[in-house]
Amino acid sequence: MKEFSDNRDLASEAIHWDQDISYGGYLDLDRLLDSQNLRTDSHDEMMFIIIHQASELWMKLCIHEIGAAMREVSRDNLGASFKMLARVSRIQAQLRQSWDVLSTMTPSDYLSFRDGLGQSSGFQSFQYREIEYALGNKNAALMEVHRGMPERYHRLKSVLEAPSFYDLCLQVLDRNGFDIPAGHLDRDWALPYEPHQAVEDAWAKVYADPEKYWSLYELAEKLVDLEHNFQMWRFSHMKTVERIIGFRHGTGGTSGVAFLKKALDLRFFPELWTVRTGL
């Protein structure tokens, strides 16, 4: 294969050497690449910072896609939401891969810069919390760590008090003639969701006749895929933390691995999991 060795190889190309908008300018790379502010001289701190920064960018895209999918579902435009949800699943795969990279760090590597983290912790990620609230893990206490940052706190509060993705999906079921309890269609959205047999029965009807309810059937599977990938992300996070720090407390004050294990028992869309047993 011929390699490009000098500008003579570019003679036939219409390269724009003087750009009004350059690649670096469009992506604001100077600011992006100047955002890795190391606090120690540890070699591994650079990797640690970049992985977490990249994860926050992926989460920003998740929020963008989930929010758009929720708007489409609220308009009964399920088909448009499916592409967005499929994209979120691909993003989640990238987030899981980040833990594979981080797991190359040994306990000694981490301890070489851990004190430089102070009390900073992934528990304080407001974007992660926004994703959880949007999907249905409504726990008001979890946003208290952001009370000192009014803009972020009020944003999270607005997501907490709005219907979750699952709440919107139950409204779609209701509009399609399924018997959804009134208390699941109009309630205090800031409170945790409580499963109901009538909701499971509605999903059972969808699964019993996919051809008749194809869009709802596809919606259900997209939600299951979304939660499955979210749980795999959580699990990868927990196992990576266990591998690096064992059962030490986290920098943000949580119990570390023990705290992360509790999250594995949480369900965003509970009836979509329980319905499988009786099908």
Side-chain angles (χ1 to χ4, degrees), residues 186-206:
D186 185 15
R187 62 185 183 85
D188 183 349
W189 307 118
L191 295 178
Y193 176 82
E194 294 291 339
H196 197 287
Q197 185 61 48
V199 175
E200 182 176 325
D201 292 343
W203 287 121
K205 290 179 182 178
V206 170

Side-chain angles (χ1 to χ4, degrees), residues 26-266:
Y26 178 72
L27 296 177
D28 203 4
L29 287 182
D30 286 343
R31 184 168 59 165
L32 181 66
L33 299 178
D34 196 35
S35 297
Q36 293 72 49
N37 301 308
L38 279 64
R39 295 177 176 269
T40 73
D41 59 1
S42 170
H43 173 80
D44 285 74
E45 189 180 3
M46 177 66 79
M47 176 190 68
F48 187 85
I49 290 175
I50 288 176
I51 284 176
H52 284 83
Q53 288 180 337
S55 294
E56 289 292 337
L57 286 174
W58 283 124
M59 283 191 278
K60 183 174 183 177
L61 185 54
C62 274
I63 291 169
H64 177 71
E65 298 294 338
I66 290 171
M70 290 174 69
R71 288 190 292 274
E72 296 297 342
V73 166
S74 67
R75 293 194 286 259
D76 292 308
N77 191 9
L78 302 186
S81 74
F82 296 158
K83 178 180 178 180
M84 297 161 185
L85 294 175
R87 182 174 292 166
V88 171
S89 293
R90 300 300 189 276
I91 297 168
Q92 290 172 312
Q94 296 297 320
L95 285 165
R96 289 201 308 275
Q97 286 278 42
S98 69
W99 296 120
D100 289 341
V101 179
L102 196 65
S103 67
T104 64
M105 185 169 60
T106 69
S108 296
D109 295 332
Y110 180 58
L111 290 173
S112 69
F113 67 87
R114 187 179 193 268
D115 289 344
L117 300 179
Q119 295 178 333
S120 64
S121 165
F123 177 78
Q124 300 155 2
S125 171
F126 67 92
Q127 291 199 126
Y128 177 84
R129 198 63 60 211
E130 181 172 345
I131 292 172
E132 281 208 320
Y133 281 176
L135 295 182
N137 182 21
K138 299 295 188 74
N139 184 338
L142 294 174
M143 69 178 187
E144 285 304 308
V145 69
H146 303 289
R147 185 175 283 277
M149 295 168 282
E151 184 177 348
R152 294 177 182 176
Y153 182 81
H154 290 304
R155 178 180 175 91
L156 287 176
K157 189 171 185 290
S158 67
V159 180
L160 176 76
E161 295 175 348
S164 72
F165 203 156
Y166 196 50
D167 292 321
L168 297 179
C169 291
L170 297 190
Q171 292 173 11
V172 171
L173 286 175
D174 179 69
R175 290 195 293 272
N176 278 270
F178 291 89
D179 185 19
I180 304 300
H184 280 55
L185 298 172
D186 185 15
R187 62 185 183 85
D188 183 349
W189 307 118
L191 295 178
Y193 176 82
E194 294 291 339
H196 197 287
Q197 185 61 48
V199 175
E200 182 176 325
D201 292 343
W203 287 121
K205 290 179 182 178
V206 170
Y207 275 95
D209 197 347
E211 291 187 7
K212 181 178 180 180
Y213 303 112
W214 180 256
S215 292
L216 295 173
Y217 176 76
E218 184 71 7
L219 175 63
E221 283 300 288
K222 283 289 189 290
L223 293 178
V224 169
D225 192 46
L226 177 62
E227 180 157 357
H228 173 81
N229 282 295
F230 203 96
Q231 288 292 66
M232 294 298 292
W233 177 26
R234 282 171 166 165
F235 180 78
S236 296
H237 182 190
M238 182 271 292
K239 295 305 291 185
T240 301
V241 171
E242 183 180 10
R243 174 173 178 162
I244 296 173
I245 69 169
F247 286 83
R248 294 180 59 161
H249 276 65
T251 50
T254 70
S255 56
V257 169
F259 177 79
L260 295 174
K261 283 185 175 180
K262 293 177 183 178
L264 296 176
D265 294 328
L266 298 173

